[in-house]
Amino acid sequence: MQLITDFLPVIIFFATYRLSGDLFTATGALIAAVIVQTAVTWVRFRKLSPMALGSAALVIVFGGLTLILKNETFIQWKPTVFFWAVGVAFLASQWIGAKPLAQRLMASAVGDSIGRIERSDWSKLNLAWVAFYLLMGAANLAVVFNYSQDTWVNFKVYGITGVTLVFVVAQTLWLSRRAGSAEPAP
């Protein structure tokens, strides 16, 4: 259920774009959906993840600029700004805090095996996320500047989502192998 809630604004954006054929209408629907999603999440859990809050803020700012200035470039740049900001956060976490961001976010996915995974493995995984986010930001710009708006919308919905899911599954498999092959921590 949470997965559907997380993707609902993107689904609404895509459906609105397909029905209206207008990026500005779809952007307005996206902004409204993100505001509702954020409010519902806050009411249900009394907290918001920094990543969700940052993404919502970027949608509101870049989407708002898109609508106010009637310039589609702002909403098209939003994924790149988000990816690069998160990539920088992952990179900074290599040196800030006791654990890399990948470890903080994924520790629950490996459960009891967490003690078996070495800091160096978490650092490798963390750097993989840095590279992933930098590449995804660049890929978004490549599509924005070299293809049609319709292609960009499809890339945003299917391409980014699909590549992200494949990356998450691959890193989860890698991480579970590392957890299974490592010696238990003393």
Side-chain angles (χ1 to χ4, degrees), residues 1 15 47 55 70 87 94 111 125 132 145 171 179-180:
M1 183 64 173
K47 67 178 185 173
S55 181
K70 295 288 186 207
Q94 290 284 109
L125 185 64
F132 174 77
F145 290 116
Q171 63 146 351

Side-chain angles (χ1 to χ4, degrees), residues 93-109:
S93 76
Q94 290 284 109
W95 302 283
I96 299 171
K99 300 174 187 174
L101 195 50
Q103 184 176 358
R104 289 182 241 169
L105 295 175
M106 297 200 59
S108 64

Side-chain angles (χ1 to χ4, degrees), residues 156-167:
K156 178 177 173 24
V157 173
Y158 298 117
I160 289 174
T161 303
V163 170
T164 301
L165 289 174
V166 167
F167 181 71

Side-chain angles (χ1 to χ4, degrees), residues 75-128:
I75 198 65
Q76 291 175 322
W77 268 82
K78 182 266 173 195
T80 295
V81 172
F82 176 76
F83 288 140
W84 288 352
V86 174
V88 167
F90 270 83
L91 185 61
S93 76
Q94 290 284 109
W95 302 283
I96 299 171
K99 300 174 187 174
L101 195 50
Q103 184 176 358
R104 289 182 241 169
L105 295 175
M106 297 200 59
S108 64
V110 293
D112 294 336
S113 301
I114 187 108
R116 297 180 182 183
I117 300 171
E118 299 290 327
R119 164 82 183 197
S120 62
D121 290 331
W122 284 114
S123 291
K124 288 175 192 172
L125 185 64
N126 202 61
L127 290 173

